[in-house]
């Protein structure tokens, strides 16, 4: 373990350094952070919709939505690029900030879609996510071989998203959604398998183990959120 981490007792959560910390406990803590992020996002989105703040903040001033999206992208880039340099505390703060920014953006969906539809799609997302998470956790297949295909899928979705800003892509909407659903289901299995790899690699470095846990929580959070959005676009019932 890096001696610099041992010199500062406040640089990491001591519970991560316990020798008896099992893989299942580590996974549970990673998922606890993911669930915390999802809870913040959806509760904030609901609160802004119920209070009418979404109309004041996003609909009356649409440029704020673009600012929020840029801020979200910046947080993810900073989080990913500097995971080895900033402390675990900073990682936690960035993750929670991202969850809150996403909650503000998500409040729009409570305006555009029926609440019953949002709840149903959330439940369906949880079901699919759970199934592929379990597969990724217990499969003996090396899912890292999927990475090139997943990157190609992400590029396809990104290009389709950019093109939709300039041309009518409604004819390909269902195809795009199906690709998005498949891509993020596969990412769910892939990222769950990576949790085990991170645990084995950083087991003797408490500080890095903690940061890896939060980083994995962000990846799972993004998998769930994107899967939810593509299922919502594919099956959701919008308001008239």
């Amino acid at each position: 373990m890096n001696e610099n981490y041992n010199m500062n007792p406040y640089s990491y959560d001591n519970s991560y350094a316990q020798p008896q910390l099992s893989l299942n406990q580590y996974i549970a803590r990673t998922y606890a952070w993911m669930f915390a992020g999802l809870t913040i996002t959806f509760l904030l989105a609901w609160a802004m919709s119920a209070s009418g703040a979404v109309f004041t903040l996003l609909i009356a001033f649409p440029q704020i939505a673009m600012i929020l999206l840029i801020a979200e992208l910046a947080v993810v880039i900073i989080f990913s690029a500097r995971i080895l340099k900033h402390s675990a505390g900073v990682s936690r703060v960035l993750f929670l900030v991202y969850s809150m920014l996403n909650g503000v953006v998500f409040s729009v969906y409570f305006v555009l879609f029926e609440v019953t539809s949002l709840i149903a799609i959330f439940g369906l997302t949880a079901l699919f996510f759970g199934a592929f998470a379990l597969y990724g956790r217990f499969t003996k297949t090396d899912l890292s071989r999927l990475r090139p295909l997943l990157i190609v899928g992400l590029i396809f979705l990104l290009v389709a998203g950019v093109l939709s800003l300039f041309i009518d892509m409604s004819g390909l909407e269902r195809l795009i959604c199906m690709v998005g659903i498949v891509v993020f289901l596969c990412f769910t299995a892939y990222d769950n398998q990576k949790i085990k790899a991170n645990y084995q690699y950083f087991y003797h470095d408490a500080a890095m183990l903690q940061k890896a846990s939060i980083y994995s929580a962000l990846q799972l959070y993004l998998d769930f959120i994107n899967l939810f959005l593509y299922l919502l676009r594919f099956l959701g019932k919008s308001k008239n």
Side-chain angles (χ1 to χ4, degrees):
M1 184 186 297
N2 191 323
E3 292 181 359
N4 292 330
Y5 291 125
N6 288 331
M7 293 173 62
N8 182 2
Y10 301 104
S11 64
Y12 64 89
D13 182 349
N14 290 328
S15 63
Y16 278 84
Q18 294 173 359
Q20 68 269 25
L21 183 65
S22 67
L23 174 60
N24 287 337
Q25 289 173 319
Y26 177 73
I27 292 174
R29 295 182 186 194
T30 300
Y31 266 88
W33 277 105
M34 172 204 161
F35 289 138
L38 289 174
T39 300
I40 290 171
T41 295
F42 284 97
L43 285 181
L44 182 57
W46 173 82
M48 287 193 62
S49 174
S51 66
V54 60
F55 295 99
T56 303
L57 186 61
L58 296 179
I59 296 179
F61 302 98
Q63 64 273 19
I64 294 180
M66 182 59 66
I67 295 174
L68 288 171
L69 291 174
I70 294 173
E72 285 186 303
L73 181 61
V75 169
V76 171
I77 291 175
I78 293 172
F79 190 106
S80 303
R82 299 184 61 83
I83 185 67
L84 295 177
K85 296 182 179 180
H86 55 228
S87 67
V90 172
S91 299
R92 287 169 174 161
V93 169
L94 288 173
F95 177 64
L96 295 176
V97 167
Y98 182 81
S99 301
M100 289 187 285
L101 290 173
N102 221 20
V104 176
V105 175
F106 261 55
S107 62
V108 174
Y109 292 102
F110 281 84
V111 177
L112 299 178
F113 291 88
E114 298 285 350
V115 174
T116 54
S117 181
L118 290 170
I119 294 173
I121 297 301
F122 184 90
L124 187 62
T125 303
L127 181 64
F128 286 165
F129 182 92
F132 277 76
L134 287 173
Y135 175 76
R137 167 68 177 87
F138 294 107
T139 184
K140 301 300 182 181
T141 304
D142 182 9
L143 299 180
S144 63
R145 293 178 293 181
L146 291 175
R147 183 173 175 79
L149 294 176
L150 294 177
I151 296 301
V152 171
L154 282 179
I155 294 173
F156 169 81
L157 294 172
L158 179 61
V159 171
V162 173
L163 289 178
S164 67
L165 298 175
F166 304 100
I167 61 177
D168 182 12
M169 300 282 288
S170 58
L172 297 175
E173 174 70 9
R174 297 187 70 80
L175 173 62
I176 294 172
C177 288
M178 285 189 287
V179 171
I181 291 168
V182 172
V183 165
F184 286 103
L185 283 174
C186 292
F187 258 119
T188 298
Y190 171 75
D191 287 335
N192 272 276
Q193 190 173 76
K194 280 174 57 180
I195 295 176
K196 180 180 179 180
N198 288 338
Y199 172 81
Q200 294 172 338
Y201 190 81
F202 296 116
Y203 181 75
H204 298 293
D205 188 332
M208 279 306 303
L209 188 67
Q210 183 181 186
K211 288 190 284 187
S213 175
I214 302 169
Y215 183 68
S216 294
L218 175 64
Q219 291 177 311
L220 296 175
Y221 171 95
L222 292 172
D223 294 339
F224 189 99
I225 288 293
N226 282 286
L227 179 59
F228 172 80
L229 290 178
Y230 281 109
L231 284 170
L232 186 64
R233 287 170 57 181
F234 191 71
L235 300 171
K237 182 179 179 182
S238 62
K239 294 180 180 178
N240 293 328

